[in-house]
Amino acid sequence: MAKKEEKRQEKKQEMRHEMRRSPGVDPKETLGITVLKEKDSAEWYGQVCLKAELADYAPVKGCMIIRPRGYNIWETIQSEFDKRIKKLGVKNAYFPLFIPETFFEKEKSHAQGFAPEVAWIANKYEGERIAVRPTSETVICDSFKRWVRSHRDLPMRINQWCNVVRWETEATKLFLRTREFLWQEGHCVYSTEEECEKEVLMFLDEYEKLLKDVLAIPIIKGKKTEQEKFAGAKNTYTMESFMPDGKALQSGTSHNLGQGFMKSFGVSFVGEDEKPHIPYSASWGISTRLIGALVMLHSDNKGLVLPPKVCANKIVIVPIVFEKSKKEILEYAKKVRHLVSDYHPLFDDRDEHTPGFKYSEWELKGIPLRIEVGPKDFEKNQVVIVRRDTGEKEFVMFDKIQERVPAILEKMHHDLYSKALQHLKNSVKEGGTWEDFTNIIADAKLAKMPHCLDMKCEEAVKTKTAGVTSRCIPFENNKLNAKKCFACSQDAKAMVLFGRSY
Amino acid sequence: MAKKEEKRQEKKQEMRHEMRRSPGVDPKETLGITVLKEKDSAEWYGQVCLKAELADYAPVKGCMIIRPRGYNIWETIQSEFDKRIKKLGVKNAYFPLFIPETFFEKEKSHAQGFAPEVAWIANKYEGERIAVRPTSETVICDSFKRWVRSHRDLPMRINQWCNVVRWETEATKLFLRTREFLWQEGHCVYSTEEECEKEVLMFLDEYEKLLKDVLAIPIIKGKKTEQEKFAGAKNTYTMESFMPDGKALQSGTSHNLGQGFMKSFGVSFVGEDEKPHIPYSASWGISTRLIGALVMLHSDNKGLVLPPKVCANKIVIVPIVFEKSKKEILEYAKKVRHLVSDYHPLFDDRDEHTPGFKYSEWELKGIPLRIEVGPKDFEKNQVVIVRRDTGEKEFVMFDKIQERVPAILEKMHHDLYSKALQHLKNSVKEGGTWEDFTNIIADAKLAKMPHCLDMKCEEAVKTKTAGVTSRCIPFENNKLNAKKCFACSQDAKAMVLFGRSY
């Protein structure tokens, strides 16, 4: 019975709000997303980023402007992750934007890997060319040479939050592929190979936790193949997320660099045995690309949907006022605001817009909860709380608000994660043959295939399919389901995940 | 009598510590600063930055590496100031590193002012040259054109924390003048001139508070002359600090840009009168240069001295152990560590170094308080607390530690500020004639002189004196003390502060 009454109330309230709309103005037309996510995912994505005011195109092609609503997400990622790594003994520093060309040449495979993407300074040569950093292994290893002396200095764990530049020639996409992006790059030195490998995996686990706990993004962890690993690494580990449009997104990587960079840059330390040794190094990074993953994964045809933890304003309060009850309603709504002040609520009492217009605007901009406060709510000492992701409405008595708000936010985070996890699980299909593979890829899923791990074979797959690449050799459930490589029929060595990607 | 006993104890303790030193090793020689601040300020400054591990020279000339101990100071400045400006309605964003050449040309005086210092990208032209940002007025104003529509959008207050590049040709100096540095740049748009000017001064006041409350740096506020103002500004306001070597340091500026940039970039808004208007804009910034000011101002011949608020580790605990009492002392010292854990104490129980060596090392590195815990202290249930800046020792009973530590830290901040303020006050000398002026400058002080405010006159002063420039027209005590300009004998318009500067 109570439910029926609720439904009735809901219906009434909806009608009331509809009536308050400005005649002839459909807010969805003026503000909203004009294409469907299912139909044109690329256009939909661009519109969400622009219209939710997360980002803007920059005057220099391929760069972006991160607007306050987008930058705030990055600030949350920064502060959350920074706290975690500081507890693990990582110290922040800042290394220069500019790197001498000779530094790249010291590690040959690294230089080759980054050569096509490096931007160089034109007018300021002083003997040699100067690169704008695409990543900082070289300049940081050069510092390690001076800073690492004794086994007592190890492990040394350094991190920087900065901008990097990779001059992409492929089409760029806000957050997901831009010529300049923001990231953190961790760089660590260890005395033993075991410790190095252990922490490379530890930082990957930290990324996984961050993505699960804060961003509600599930991932598949694994090792990159020789073909796809970082230029100069011994092993690259990755976490891959999977987007609703059928593309994988490399969401963070952790590299075991072995002794390669240490040898190239002449880093050594005096061990407990008082003899010189060459240490092992590692690097790991996540970037503003994660903001793109958030948008792509959780948002819908009304606009942005975000897990509450990355939102500065977790609530918008919309008082529904009529002339005669205006004062009471506003007063009541302000009491509600006071109750939920920990969640930095927006208070939308603009006179020039209808409630319907406001709902659409805040849905577009991804505020997790809307609290509606109308005359009936005031009379009954209640409010209506509406979840952004599901649209579920809940009538909550005034004295239960402080209890319900965190519970609903928690539930929302949990549901977003579960939904994405289900999608990820449904998207991985095992196959054994080339035919299986093409079918799975045509179905916009990730193909888990027995593979020979030969670089040439992988390159051939990429060419034949116009861009399908190996994403990783997953850590979990990696039992070979066939003896032969699906692509070249040589002996299979591992199950490898293949897919299209950003 | 108590004092006498204290002195005796102090003497004994000192002797005890001295005795524990490794024979033949003078820690000051191996670690310490080898020149005097009074004798060779430039060399002393470089040594403090390097040996206290604040910074390192970068492979590309004129750039620097900010090491964890230095970067931590910047993180404190960031978090303190960020909190303050967010309360004032400022929102953080991120704009691209790269700016098209045509953008500079839109504001002619701005382009001229920055032309010699701009670094350009070599291999990535796409129709026009691309600059590495020396400052972001142009690219941000271009965004304001799209973001500012109505009077309801104003004031709009945006800030970014980022790196900028100014290719200095003069000799560079860690923190104080480097080709790349980190800073914040605030950019605001207002509907009225009054509001703009008011907030330009408000942000200058915020800087002043930050410098006083957190960095213990006193400053003189004032207006820049036409000659020295920011390229493209209507008015530039500045805060100037004064270093012990007789040079002024521009420590932060706030620019009223009038309507210049708004007009050049075509920004307009619809007012309450429903007509289009041109808004007013402002920008303001502080940089990692402030770290240089901290070092220069507070440090001494033993090394780094920092106001406690910028130190991650405010205390170092040095247990003084002898074999037979080692266990008790370490246990007692750990209890002390537990008591002061809020101050993130370092705990130096290294076996390989003597207490004397440790004292020198932590003095060099600028830890504000040292807590010595020796056998006598253990017996008497006390500790010795030593202030880094004055070397003052205080015997504190165990149960008074939690009370004394914050009090001593507070006093230390206060004393550092007072000392610097006294120095600043003593350094400003008024004069009326060219002879006064040259005497004051020769004495390495700031000359407060009646001036005509003519740009050519100022330029002539600079040339004649090989580099003395006007620092500002001070806000306070600006009563003309002569009718004629000290330099050209035209009518004087204001008292202007002149000096050498970084």
Side-chain angles (χ1 to χ4, degrees), chain A residues 56 65-68 75 86 92-94 96-97 118 120 122-124 126 143 147 152 163 179-180 352, chain B residues 56 65-68 75 86 92-94 96-97 118 120 122-123 126 143 147 152 163 167 179-180 352:
Chain A
D56 221 341
I65 294 159
I66 308 180
R67 300 185 67 173
E75 285 182 309
K86 277 181 177 155
N92 286 339
Y94 186 77
L97 177 66
V118 173
W120 301 96
N123 56 335
K124 303 293 180 188
E126 291 180 359
S143 286
W147 300 349
R152 290 194 194 90
N163 54 344
R179 287 176 173 174
E180 180 196 13
E352 67 270 26
Chain B
D56 221 340
I65 294 160
I66 308 180
R67 298 186 68 173
E75 286 182 308
K86 276 181 176 154
N92 286 339
Y94 186 78
L97 177 67
V118 173
W120 300 95
N123 57 334
E126 289 179 1
S143 286
W147 301 348
R152 288 192 196 93
N163 55 345
W167 213 268
R179 287 176 172 173
E180 180 194 12
E352 69 271 25

Side-chain angles (χ1 to χ4, degrees), chain A residues 172-183:
Chain A
T172 52
K173 203 159 189 171
L174 293 169
F175 296 114
L176 293 172
R177 188 187 297 118
T178 50
R179 287 176 173 174
E180 180 196 13
F181 55 89
L182 304 181
W183 79 344

